[in-house]
């Protein structure tokens, strides 16, 4: 185990896992209780357009992903809050358009895109120092947002109608929440890829929510579970020479199924 820490890439990967776990534990809890998993998936896929833009204009694709993720998050948030049409259909369209833009821009970019697949399936072992700094900054922003508006987020999550009667700016807070989801999605994308973003974002919170009721405790438990999943997944992927992102998700999914079984047994007694 300790021999892994002698490698820079493994230390970076473990640190990335910790940073991502903090964001997923906080934001994933609100995603689960608001039942907006589909929006999270839509943001993740739409962010691919920003990756394509980064390659096309020759700048760090992560910044492009942040821009597209925020843009799509606000658009999807407005659709959910304002439109009378089926929100899932419009989100699906934005999801597909974002992916399409990314693919076309990458096709138009000359040269070989060596690490392109890492954005689809994740590559935590290749996280750079620059990306770690970006992830740390995003973590700080997410923690500040939730710390400042924690009570308001709880209000719009459990009783938005009552929150409106108390003059709480529900629409603005909802957009702020989906913006925080967008930042989290960009972080998770670097670890497990946009294909598996939803799993790492929601599984820790789903497990914690089965046994805990207080939101603060669910957040703390989700962060700890996320750190456990990323660390164990990294160790297993290293020794068995398999894809790290997929291994992390398999570990998460296995623990979720076990916890579900335990919960069923508890309820049957």
């Amino acid at each position: 185990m300790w021999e892994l820490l002698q490698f820079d890439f493994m230390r970076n990967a473990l640190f990335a896992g910790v940073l991502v776990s903090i964001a997923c534990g906080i934001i994933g809890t609100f995603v689960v209780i608001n039942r907006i998993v589909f929006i999270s998936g839509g943001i993740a896929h739409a962010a691919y357009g920003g990756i394509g833009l980064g390659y096309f204009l020759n700048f760090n694709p992560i910044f492009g992903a942040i821009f597209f993720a925020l843009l799509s998050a606000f658009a999807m948030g407005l659709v959910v809050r304002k439109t009378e049409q089926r929100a899932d259909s419009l989100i699906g369209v934005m999801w597909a358009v974002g992916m399409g833009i990314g693919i076309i821009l990458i096709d138009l970019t000359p040269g070989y895109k060596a690490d392109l697949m890492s954005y689809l399936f994740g590559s935590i072992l290749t996280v750079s120092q620059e990306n770690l700094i970006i992830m740390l900054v995003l973590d700080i922003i997410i923690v500040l947002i939730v710390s400042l508006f924690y009570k308001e987020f709880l209000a719009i999550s459990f009783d938005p109608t009552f929150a409106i009667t108390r003059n709480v700016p529900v629409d603005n807070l909802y957009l702020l929440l989906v913006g925080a989801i967008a930042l989290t999605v960009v972080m998770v994308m670097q670890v497990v890829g946009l294909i598996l973003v939803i799993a790492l974002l929601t599984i820790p919170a789903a497990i914690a929510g089965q046994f805990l009721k207080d939101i603060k405790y669910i957040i703390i438990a989700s962060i700890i579970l996320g750190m456990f999943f990323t660390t164990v997944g990294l160790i297993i992927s290293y020794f068995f020479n398999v894809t790290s992102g997929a291994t992390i998700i398999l570990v998460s999914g296995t623990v979720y199924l076990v916890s579900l079984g335990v919960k069923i047994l508890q309820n049957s007694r």
Side-chain angles (χ1 to χ4, degrees), residues 225-259:
L225 284 169
M227 292 178 181
F228 173 77
F229 295 151
T230 53
T231 302
V232 173
L234 274 170
I235 293 170
I236 293 174
S237 67
Y238 177 82
F239 284 108
F240 289 91
N241 194 28
V242 290
T243 305
S244 54
T247 307
I248 291 169
I249 297 304
L250 282 177
V251 171
S252 307
T254 300
V255 174
Y256 174 76
L257 292 175
V258 171
S259 70

Short mmCIF file of all heavy atoms in Angstrom, two decimals, residues 225-259:
data_model
loop_
_atom_site.label_atom_id
_atom_site.label_comp_id
_atom_site.label_asym_id
_atom_site.label_seq_id
_atom_site.Cartn_x
_atom_site.Cartn_y
_atom_site.Cartn_z
N LEU A 225 -17.36 8.39 2.47
CA LEU A 225 -17.58 7.28 1.55
C LEU A 225 -16.88 7.53 0.21
O LEU A 225 -16.27 6.62 -0.37
CB LEU A 225 -19.07 7.06 1.32
CG LEU A 225 -19.84 6.39 2.46
CD1 LEU A 225 -21.35 6.48 2.21
CD2 LEU A 225 -19.42 4.92 2.60
N GLY A 226 -16.97 8.76 -0.28
CA GLY A 226 -16.32 9.09 -1.55
C GLY A 226 -14.81 8.90 -1.48
O GLY A 226 -14.20 8.36 -2.41
N MET A 227 -14.21 9.33 -0.37
CA MET A 227 -12.77 9.13 -0.19
C MET A 227 -12.43 7.65 -0.14
O MET A 227 -11.42 7.21 -0.71
CB MET A 227 -12.31 9.82 1.10
CG MET A 227 -12.39 11.34 1.06
SD MET A 227 -11.88 12.07 2.64
CE MET A 227 -12.11 13.81 2.29
N PHE A 228 -13.27 6.87 0.53
CA PHE A 228 -13.05 5.43 0.61
C PHE A 228 -13.14 4.79 -0.77
O PHE A 228 -12.27 3.99 -1.16
CB PHE A 228 -14.09 4.80 1.55
CG PHE A 228 -14.05 3.30 1.58
CD1 PHE A 228 -13.08 2.62 2.29
CD2 PHE A 228 -15.01 2.56 0.88
CE1 PHE A 228 -13.04 1.22 2.30
CE2 PHE A 228 -14.99 1.17 0.89
CZ PHE A 228 -13.99 0.49 1.60
N PHE A 229 -14.16 5.15 -1.54
CA PHE A 229 -14.36 4.56 -2.86
C PHE A 229 -13.20 4.89 -3.80
O PHE A 229 -12.70 4.01 -4.52
CB PHE A 229 -15.67 5.04 -3.48
CG PHE A 229 -16.90 4.60 -2.75
CD1 PHE A 229 -18.05 5.38 -2.77
CD2 PHE A 229 -16.91 3.43 -2.01
CE1 PHE A 229 -19.19 4.98 -2.09
CE2 PHE A 229 -18.05 3.02 -1.32
CZ PHE A 229 -19.20 3.80 -1.36
N THR A 230 -12.78 6.16 -3.82
CA THR A 230 -11.71 6.55 -4.74
C THR A 230 -10.38 5.91 -4.35
O THR A 230 -9.62 5.47 -5.21
CB THR A 230 -11.56 8.08 -4.79
OG1 THR A 230 -11.41 8.60 -3.45
CG2 THR A 230 -12.77 8.73 -5.43
N THR A 231 -10.11 5.84 -3.05
CA THR A 231 -8.85 5.25 -2.58
C THR A 231 -8.80 3.76 -2.86
O THR A 231 -7.82 3.25 -3.43
CB THR A 231 -8.65 5.51 -1.07
OG1 THR A 231 -8.67 6.92 -0.82
CG2 THR A 231 -7.33 4.93 -0.60
N VAL A 232 -9.84 3.05 -2.47
CA VAL A 232 -9.89 1.60 -2.69
C VAL A 232 -9.90 1.29 -4.19
O VAL A 232 -9.21 0.37 -4.65
CB VAL A 232 -11.12 0.97 -2.01
CG1 VAL A 232 -11.28 -0.49 -2.39
CG2 VAL A 232 -11.01 1.11 -0.50
N GLY A 233 -10.66 2.07 -4.95
CA GLY A 233 -10.70 1.86 -6.40
C GLY A 233 -9.34 2.05 -7.04
O GLY A 233 -8.94 1.29 -7.92
N LEU A 234 -8.61 3.07 -6.59
CA LEU A 234 -7.26 3.32 -7.11
C LEU A 234 -6.32 2.16 -6.80
O LEU A 234 -5.55 1.72 -7.66
CB LEU A 234 -6.70 4.61 -6.52
CG LEU A 234 -7.05 5.91 -7.24
CD1 LEU A 234 -6.62 7.10 -6.40
CD2 LEU A 234 -6.39 5.96 -8.61
N ILE A 235 -6.37 1.68 -5.56
CA ILE A 235 -5.48 0.58 -5.15
C ILE A 235 -5.77 -0.68 -5.97
O ILE A 235 -4.85 -1.33 -6.48
CB ILE A 235 -5.64 0.30 -3.65
CG1 ILE A 235 -5.13 1.50 -2.83
CG2 ILE A 235 -4.89 -0.96 -3.25
CD1 ILE A 235 -5.45 1.42 -1.36
N ILE A 236 -7.05 -1.01 -6.11
CA ILE A 236 -7.43 -2.21 -6.87
C ILE A 236 -7.01 -2.07 -8.34
O ILE A 236 -6.46 -3.00 -8.93
CB ILE A 236 -8.95 -2.45 -6.77
CG1 ILE A 236 -9.33 -2.83 -5.34
CG2 ILE A 236 -9.39 -3.55 -7.74
CD1 ILE A 236 -10.82 -2.95 -5.11
N SER A 237 -7.27 -0.88 -8.92
CA SER A 237 -6.93 -0.69 -10.34
C SER A 237 -5.43 -0.77 -10.57
O SER A 237 -4.97 -1.25 -11.61
CB SER A 237 -7.47 0.67 -10.82
OG SER A 237 -6.79 1.74 -10.19
N TYR A 238 -4.65 -0.32 -9.59
CA TYR A 238 -3.19 -0.36 -9.72
C TYR A 238 -2.67 -1.79 -9.70
O TYR A 238 -1.88 -2.19 -10.56
CB TYR A 238 -2.55 0.45 -8.59
CG TYR A 238 -1.03 0.40 -8.59
CD1 TYR A 238 -0.29 1.23 -9.43
CD2 TYR A 238 -0.35 -0.49 -7.76
CE1 TYR A 238 1.10 1.18 -9.43
CE2 TYR A 238 1.03 -0.55 -7.76
CZ TYR A 238 1.75 0.28 -8.60
OH TYR A 238 3.13 0.22 -8.60
N PHE A 239 -3.14 -2.59 -8.74
CA PHE A 239 -2.62 -3.95 -8.60
C PHE A 239 -3.16 -4.91 -9.66
O PHE A 239 -2.49 -5.89 -9.99
CB PHE A 239 -2.92 -4.48 -7.19
CG PHE A 239 -2.03 -3.91 -6.13
CD1 PHE A 239 -2.51 -2.99 -5.20
CD2 PHE A 239 -0.68 -4.25 -6.07
CE1 PHE A 239 -1.69 -2.46 -4.23
CE2 PHE A 239 0.15 -3.72 -5.10
CZ PHE A 239 -0.35 -2.82 -4.17
N PHE A 240 -4.34 -4.63 -10.18
CA PHE A 240 -4.92 -5.51 -11.20
C PHE A 240 -4.81 -4.93 -12.60
O PHE A 240 -5.29 -5.54 -13.56
CB PHE A 240 -6.37 -5.82 -10.87
CG PHE A 240 -6.55 -6.73 -9.67
CD1 PHE A 240 -6.69 -6.19 -8.40
CD2 PHE A 240 -6.54 -8.11 -9.82
CE1 PHE A 240 -6.84 -7.01 -7.29
CE2 PHE A 240 -6.68 -8.94 -8.73
CZ PHE A 240 -6.83 -8.40 -7.45
N ASN A 241 -4.21 -3.74 -12.71
CA ASN A 241 -3.97 -3.11 -14.01
C ASN A 241 -5.25 -2.97 -14.83
O ASN A 241 -5.34 -3.37 -15.98
CB ASN A 241 -2.92 -3.91 -14.81
CG ASN A 241 -2.40 -3.12 -16.00
OD1 ASN A 241 -2.37 -1.88 -15.99
ND2 ASN A 241 -2.00 -3.84 -17.04
N VAL A 242 -6.28 -2.39 -14.18
CA VAL A 242 -7.55 -2.13 -14.86
C VAL A 242 -7.86 -0.64 -14.76
O VAL A 242 -7.22 0.10 -14.01
CB VAL A 242 -8.70 -2.96 -14.24
CG1 VAL A 242 -8.52 -4.44 -14.55
CG2 VAL A 242 -8.79 -2.75 -12.73
N THR A 243 -8.85 -0.20 -15.53
CA THR A 243 -9.19 1.22 -15.59
C THR A 243 -9.64 1.74 -14.23
O THR A 243 -10.54 1.18 -13.61
CB THR A 243 -10.32 1.44 -16.62
OG1 THR A 243 -9.91 0.90 -17.88
CG2 THR A 243 -10.62 2.93 -16.77
N SER A 244 -9.02 2.82 -13.78
CA SER A 244 -9.27 3.32 -12.43
C SER A 244 -10.68 3.87 -12.24
O SER A 244 -11.34 3.58 -11.24
CB SER A 244 -8.23 4.40 -12.08
OG SER A 244 -8.21 5.42 -13.06
N GLY A 245 -11.16 4.66 -13.21
CA GLY A 245 -12.49 5.25 -13.07
C GLY A 245 -13.58 4.21 -12.95
O GLY A 245 -14.45 4.28 -12.08
N ALA A 246 -13.53 3.21 -13.83
CA ALA A 246 -14.53 2.14 -13.79
C ALA A 246 -14.43 1.34 -12.50
O ALA A 246 -15.45 0.91 -11.93
CB ALA A 246 -14.35 1.22 -15.00
N THR A 247 -13.21 1.12 -12.01
CA THR A 247 -13.01 0.37 -10.76
C THR A 247 -13.60 1.12 -9.58
O THR A 247 -14.25 0.53 -8.71
CB THR A 247 -11.52 0.12 -10.52
OG1 THR A 247 -10.94 -0.50 -11.67
CG2 THR A 247 -11.32 -0.79 -9.32
N ILE A 248 -13.41 2.44 -9.55
CA ILE A 248 -13.98 3.26 -8.48
C ILE A 248 -15.50 3.13 -8.47
O ILE A 248 -16.13 2.98 -7.41
CB ILE A 248 -13.56 4.74 -8.65
CG1 ILE A 248 -12.06 4.90 -8.38
CG2 ILE A 248 -14.36 5.64 -7.73
CD1 ILE A 248 -11.50 6.26 -8.77
N ILE A 249 -16.11 3.17 -9.65
CA ILE A 249 -17.56 3.06 -9.74
C ILE A 249 -18.04 1.67 -9.35
O ILE A 249 -19.07 1.52 -8.68
CB ILE A 249 -18.04 3.41 -11.16
CG1 ILE A 249 -17.69 4.86 -11.49
CG2 ILE A 249 -19.54 3.17 -11.30
CD1 ILE A 249 -18.24 5.87 -10.50
N LEU A 250 -17.30 0.64 -9.72
CA LEU A 250 -17.68 -0.73 -9.34
C LEU A 250 -17.62 -0.91 -7.82
O LEU A 250 -18.50 -1.56 -7.23
CB LEU A 250 -16.78 -1.75 -10.03
CG LEU A 250 -17.09 -2.03 -11.51
CD1 LEU A 250 -16.08 -3.00 -12.09
CD2 LEU A 250 -18.50 -2.60 -11.66
N VAL A 251 -16.60 -0.35 -7.20
CA VAL A 251 -16.50 -0.40 -5.73
C VAL A 251 -17.70 0.33 -5.12
O VAL A 251 -18.35 -0.18 -4.19
CB VAL A 251 -15.18 0.23 -5.24
CG1 VAL A 251 -15.19 0.37 -3.72
CG2 VAL A 251 -13.99 -0.60 -5.69
N SER A 252 -18.02 1.51 -5.66
CA SER A 252 -19.15 2.30 -5.15
C SER A 252 -20.46 1.53 -5.31
O SER A 252 -21.26 1.45 -4.37
CB SER A 252 -19.25 3.63 -5.90
OG SER A 252 -18.03 4.33 -5.89
N GLY A 253 -20.67 0.97 -6.49
CA GLY A 253 -21.90 0.24 -6.77
C GLY A 253 -22.05 -0.99 -5.89
O GLY A 253 -23.16 -1.32 -5.43
N THR A 254 -20.95 -1.68 -5.66
CA THR A 254 -20.98 -2.88 -4.81
C THR A 254 -21.38 -2.53 -3.39
O THR A 254 -22.22 -3.19 -2.78
CB THR A 254 -19.60 -3.58 -4.81
OG1 THR A 254 -19.26 -3.95 -6.15
CG2 THR A 254 -19.63 -4.82 -3.94
N VAL A 255 -20.77 -1.47 -2.86
CA VAL A 255 -21.11 -1.04 -1.50
C VAL A 255 -22.57 -0.59 -1.43
O VAL A 255 -23.27 -0.86 -0.44
CB VAL A 255 -20.17 0.09 -1.03
CG1 VAL A 255 -20.62 0.64 0.34
CG2 VAL A 255 -18.74 -0.41 -0.95
N TYR A 256 -23.05 0.07 -2.48
CA TYR A 256 -24.45 0.51 -2.50
C TYR A 256 -25.40 -0.69 -2.45
O TYR A 256 -26.38 -0.69 -1.68
CB TYR A 256 -24.74 1.33 -3.75
CG TYR A 256 -26.21 1.69 -3.89
CD1 TYR A 256 -26.77 2.70 -3.11
CD2 TYR A 256 -27.03 1.00 -4.78
CE1 TYR A 256 -28.12 3.01 -3.21
CE2 TYR A 256 -28.38 1.30 -4.88
CZ TYR A 256 -28.91 2.31 -4.10
OH TYR A 256 -30.24 2.62 -4.19
N LEU A 257 -25.11 -1.73 -3.23
CA LEU A 257 -25.96 -2.92 -3.23
C LEU A 257 -25.94 -3.62 -1.87
O LEU A 257 -26.97 -4.10 -1.39
CB LEU A 257 -25.51 -3.88 -4.33
CG LEU A 257 -25.74 -3.40 -5.78
CD1 LEU A 257 -25.13 -4.39 -6.76
CD2 LEU A 257 -27.23 -3.20 -6.05
N VAL A 258 -24.75 -3.68 -1.25
CA VAL A 258 -24.65 -4.28 0.08
C VAL A 258 -25.46 -3.47 1.09
O VAL A 258 -26.20 -4.03 1.91
CB VAL A 258 -23.17 -4.36 0.53
CG1 VAL A 258 -23.07 -4.79 1.99
CG2 VAL A 258 -22.41 -5.35 -0.36
N SER A 259 -25.33 -2.15 1.03
CA SER A 259 -26.07 -1.29 1.96
C SER A 259 -27.57 -1.41 1.76
O SER A 259 -28.35 -1.38 2.72
CB SER A 259 -25.64 0.17 1.80
OG SER A 259 -26.08 0.70 0.57
#
